Amino acid sequence: MPINVKAAGLSVTIQDLGRPGYYHLGIPMGGAMDRLALRAANLLVGNDEGAAALEAVFVGPELEFTEDALVAVTGAELPPKLDGEPMATWTTLKVKAGQVLSFDYLRSGARAYIAVSGGIDTPPMLGSRSTYAIGALGGVDGRAVQPGDVLPLGQPGKAVTEGTTIPAELRRMPGNPVELRVLPGLYWHRLTDAAGKRFFAETWKVASEADRMGYRFQGGTPIEFVEREQPFGAGSDPSNITDSCYPYGSIQIPGGTEPIILHRDAVSGGGFFTIGAVISADMDLIGQLQPHTPTRFIKVNMHTALSARRDRADLLEQIRAPFA
Amino acid sequence: MTTRYTHGGDEHIFVEIDEAMSLEAFFKSLSITNAVREADIKGMTEICPANASYQIKFNPDIIHPDDLMAELKRLEQTADVSDAVLNTRIIEVPVYYQDPWTHETLMRFRERHQDPTGTDLDYSARINGYDSVDDFIKAHSGAPWFVSMVGFVSGLPFLYQMVEREKQIQVPKYLRPRTDTPKLTVGYGGSFSCIYSVRGAGGYQMFGITPMPIFDPEQKISYLKDFMVFFKPGDIVKWKPISREEYDRDVAAVEAGTFEPRIREVMFSLEDFNKDIAGTNAKLEEALYAN
């Protein structure tokens, strides 16, 4: 039975674990920015971890339920309310038919995940329900959720006891100060030694242009480039390269001024040099950063990147264990 | 041409065939990515070919990044890069140059452009040594173009001009990218033309607009029923300048479901092309317009 959308906040989109396999055509994998939070929300309502849920940026929606359901809100600290009564985040909530789920103001983080038993059952496109608005794929008619939308739900999965919660120590959120680990590579050699050192030494701030495609950072010193004659086809700016693919998490610095980290809805390629990539273990964290958040980039090697990846996998196993 | 291997975080390997663009680099990348695809390496999840480079996405829980990189280097040695021959297709793409929609947009973002007093076509014609915009359009639409990459967003083709390097058009991108570009704008940046498949941000100079959709997520357009993305690397394109009347007629035909792009199958040999560029292009055009 469906959910009626009464209000849709700033940007509420349907997201699952995305549609890998089409990046070579410029269609990014997409899906939840904070994958761990999505998985946790789904576990709390008895769904497959990759079921489609709502990703709400800064402001929660207002949802009217037409049938009893389990609901869980994870990720950003965006406290839910049932018929106006404050409820807990990261916890299995029971919602009765006719009740309205709304949200208090954002306490921390940037993206909350709202999972409902059965999962959001809009039509999958290219194997995913994730909203990719630029390509009009997934979601509701290829767009974000709007007031008046009716969201279909799938068949509920496993029963989960009301009040089940993910322990606080397993809720991964960015630290204070925020640190994102970066493996240098790609076109790192375009930077002078001094510029490379400064990139890691300085504190950057999340810019207002921060969305599912990419997060822009400001406040550091403009980059100096190693001088060269630009290769044919690259374009005249020293930050230009012959258009190539962009890894997810890669950091480009157009014009040498403001770094941009490409995220789940990345453009698949383009003509700007990249200096390396945020390690896979830290991608979830980026989706929880608010504009103006001071951020440090930490230089790591492959060994550290892979061990951080194992730590994240271990954390997911700990989250899963009680639901097995 | 020196191949350069580098890590893109712990989930990607990036391989630059050459810093500079050339059809030689494209074909070398194509043969290597074909060999990589056939090798079907465990843990590899995506192969993304680009103009003069390619990128692999993989699961490092299944294969160590260093092992995968060693395997890719081995495949480069065994890939047959001598046979730069492609069975492909040539497609006629109608272009309404100097259209009112890209004109409105370029005026709106004039302060982000190198030449705030003119248009993108005025500027591009001038810096490439053409006396008039008309001559420049003739050059842009004269020779065929090679699709050397699909990407950025939603099936956008990057097209490389099939002429001698000294004749190739080169233009810088906007000083600061626009936040808007009309859908189906024919653009230009560096040595690449492109077609913006969807409306959105962009930094390429804007020359015109095509009535021919190249991306349809609903797969309703007749020639996009099988797959929502039209172009693939290796396609060859011939621009056809059209008037406002022809543009309106084509748009109406697209809406009525009767628009069929002119497409012919052709064989392309890089060696033959390099030996006789004008002759090869003439043959391609002949194939396109033969019935």
Side-chain angles (χ1 to χ4, degrees):
Chain A
M1 278 294 112
I3 294 172
N4 297 321
V5 179
K6 315 288 279 181
L10 276 177
S11 169
V12 176
T13 56
I14 296 168
Q15 300 293 346
D16 53 23
L17 291 174
R19 53 176 67 81
Y22 304 95
Y23 203 42
H24 65 292
L25 299 171
I27 300 173
M29 92 184 136
M33 296 273 283
D34 183 347
R35 298 268 211 259
L36 268 185
L38 173 81
R39 288 175 183 273
N42 276 320
L43 285 166
L44 284 167
V45 298
N47 290 348
D48 286 343
E49 288 172 32
L54 297 176
E55 178 180 273
V57 185
F58 306 146
V59 177
E62 199 177 307
L63 307 171
E64 181 189 59
F65 285 72
T66 61
E67 186 172 280
D68 297 0
L70 298 178
V71 169
V73 180
T74 64
E77 195 57 27
L78 187 69
K81 296 187 287 185
L82 258 184
D83 286 343
E85 280 298 303
M87 308 301 272
T89 53
W90 297 87
T91 301
T92 306
L93 310 176
K94 238 179 178 163
V95 178
K96 294 225 175 321
Q99 283 193 303
V100 171
L101 177 71
S102 62
F103 291 84
D104 207 337
Y105 69 87
L106 181 71
R107 304 301 206 280
S108 65
R111 284 175 176 78
Y113 293 84
I114 307 158
V116 183
S117 48
I120 311 285
D121 194 23
T122 41
M125 286 177 88
L126 301 179
S128 166
R129 298 181 169 85
S130 290
T131 315
Y132 175 54
I134 294 165
L137 293 175
V140 180
D141 299 331
R143 57 161 171 79
V145 168
Q146 289 175 0
D149 282 347
V150 176
L151 306 177
L153 295 176
Q155 284 299 318
K158 285 192 290 187
V160 181
T161 313
E162 185 181 7
T164 302
T165 184
I166 308 280
E169 66 271 21
L170 302 185
R171 304 172 190 176
R172 187 168 179 232
M173 292 297 281
N176 186 13
V178 174
E179 292 184 344
L180 298 175
R181 289 168 287 187
V182 172
L183 184 70
L186 300 166
Y187 290 84
W188 175 260
H189 58 276
R190 294 290 301 119
L191 299 179
T192 62
D193 285 348
K197 286 202 178 82
R198 263 202 313 271
F199 176 78
F200 287 115
E202 292 182 331
T203 297
W204 298 82
K205 272 188 179 174
V206 178
S208 56
E209 286 170 62
D211 57 24
R212 295 188 44 82
M213 184 189 283
Y215 259 61
R216 186 183 283 261
F217 292 81
Q218 294 173 327
T221 308
I223 295 301
E224 294 139 18
F225 293 89
V226 173
E227 281 193 30
R228 69 164 177 184
E229 191 185 327
Q230 283 293 97
F232 181 82
S236 46
D237 191 274
S239 68
N240 284 154
I241 56 163
T242 298
D243 293 56
S244 74
C245 303
Y246 290 145
Y248 296 107
S250 63
I251 305 170
Q252 56 182 263
I253 315 181
T257 54
E258 297 177 349
I260 300 170
I261 303 175
L262 290 181
H263 217 274
R264 311 291 186 196
D265 285 356
V267 289
S268 72
F272 290 115
F273 90 117
T274 46
I275 63 166
V278 172
I279 65 174
S280 61
D282 286 357
M283 286 293 282
D284 290 331
L285 302 176
I286 297 170
Q288 296 300 354
L289 301 182
Q290 296 179 4
H292 312 302
T293 306
T295 303
R296 289 283 305 278
F297 298 110
I298 308 298
K299 183 179 179 177
V300 296
N301 59 21
M302 184 61 84
H303 180 77
T304 306
L306 294 178
S307 106
R309 189 179 167 90
R310 278 191 297 276
D311 290 346
R312 181 185 175 279
D314 290 345
L315 177 63
L316 179 57
E317 281 309 319
Q318 288 180 61
I319 294 171
R320 275 176 187 153
F323 299 94
Chain B
M1 244 188 274
T2 323
T3 310
R4 186 172 68 84
Y5 289 81
T6 173
H7 293 289
D10 49 329
E11 291 186 329
H12 307 83
I13 288 174
F14 180 85
V15 184
E16 184 185 64
I17 305 297
D18 197 355
E19 281 193 329
M21 178 57 192
S22 65
L23 286 177
E24 283 70 19
F26 169 83
F27 271 95
K28 186 173 175 191
S29 171
L30 183 72
S31 17
I32 296 172
T33 50
N34 283 340
V36 170
R37 193 171 295 108
E38 276 162 34
D40 195 20
I41 304 162
K42 215 170 165 218
M44 185 174 71
T45 55
E46 283 189 271
I47 305 169
C48 295
N51 295 303
S53 58
Y54 73 92
Q55 178 177 300
I56 301 291
K57 185 163 193 285
F58 64 98
N59 181 346
D61 304 338
I62 297 173
I63 185 165
H64 192 282
D66 293 337
D67 294 340
L68 178 55
M69 193 182 278
E71 182 62 13
L72 294 173
K73 286 180 179 170
R74 194 188 65 75
L75 285 165
E76 183 194 347
Q77 299 312 314
T78 59
D80 184 3
V81 296
S82 59
D83 192 27
V85 173
L86 202 61
N87 285 308
T88 183
R89 52 184 191 164
I90 182 164
I91 304 131
E92 181 191 77
V93 177
V95 186
Y96 176 22
Y97 290 94
Q98 296 181 286
D99 66 286
W101 304 283
T102 58
H103 187 264
E104 184 278 324
T105 309
L106 67 89
M107 292 313 287
R108 195 147 40 95
F109 291 99
R110 215 66 214 131
E111 87 290 355
R112 301 184 185 208
H113 194 272
Q114 289 84 353
D115 179 8
T117 59
T119 67
D120 293 10
L121 271 168
D122 292 338
Y123 171 73
S124 302
R126 192 175 71 241
I127 65 166
N128 281 281
Y130 289 91
D131 290 337
S132 70
V133 166
D134 283 349
D135 286 351
F136 181 76
I137 290 171
K138 266 185 204 137
H140 186 259
S141 59
W145 295 70
F146 195 90
V147 176
S148 50
M149 176 172 171
V150 176
F152 182 60
V153 293
S154 310
L156 175 151
F158 290 81
L159 303 114
Y160 189 68
Q161 196 178 13
M162 293 167 67
V163 293
E164 291 78 2
R165 183 171 280 194
E166 60 275 15
K167 287 190 195 162
Q168 277 185 316
I169 297 165
Q170 288 204 78
V171 294
K173 294 156 196 172
Y174 269 49
L175 295 174
R176 285 184 297 127
R178 297 175 305 272
T179 54
D180 193 16
T181 310
K183 183 178 163 179
L184 296 175
T185 291
V186 174
Y188 214 101
S191 65
F192 298 102
S193 209
C194 81
I195 304 171
Y196 284 89
S197 51
V198 293
R199 184 179 176 177
Y204 276 28
Q205 309 279 337
M206 296 183 292
F207 291 172
I209 201 158
T210 174
M212 178 182 149
I214 58 166
F215 174 72
D216 178 21
E218 297 186 333
Q219 292 177 254
K220 282 184 180 157
I221 288 167
S222 57
Y223 56 91
L224 295 171
K225 281 206 166 77
D226 290 339
F227 194 62
M228 60 181 73
V229 168
F230 181 75
F231 282 109
K232 50 182 181 288
D235 280 341
I236 296 171
V237 163
K238 181 75 176 63
W239 308 116
K240 180 196 176 195
I242 57 168
S243 65
R244 174 67 192 255
E245 290 69 34
E246 289 167 306
Y247 175 84
D248 290 341
R249 188 198 61 203
D250 286 350
V251 166
V254 168
E255 277 163 17
T258 56
F259 183 87
E260 281 299 332
R262 176 173 277 268
I263 302 171
R264 294 292 182 269
E265 287 182 9
V266 288
M267 198 201 69
F268 177 81
S269 152
L270 183 58
E271 199 188 336
D272 292 351
F273 175 77
N274 283 333
K275 268 191 222 148
D276 179 7
I277 291 179
T280 306
N281 288 347
K283 274 186 203 153
L284 286 169
E285 204 162 327
E286 201 177 298
L288 177 61
Y289 293 109
N291 277 312

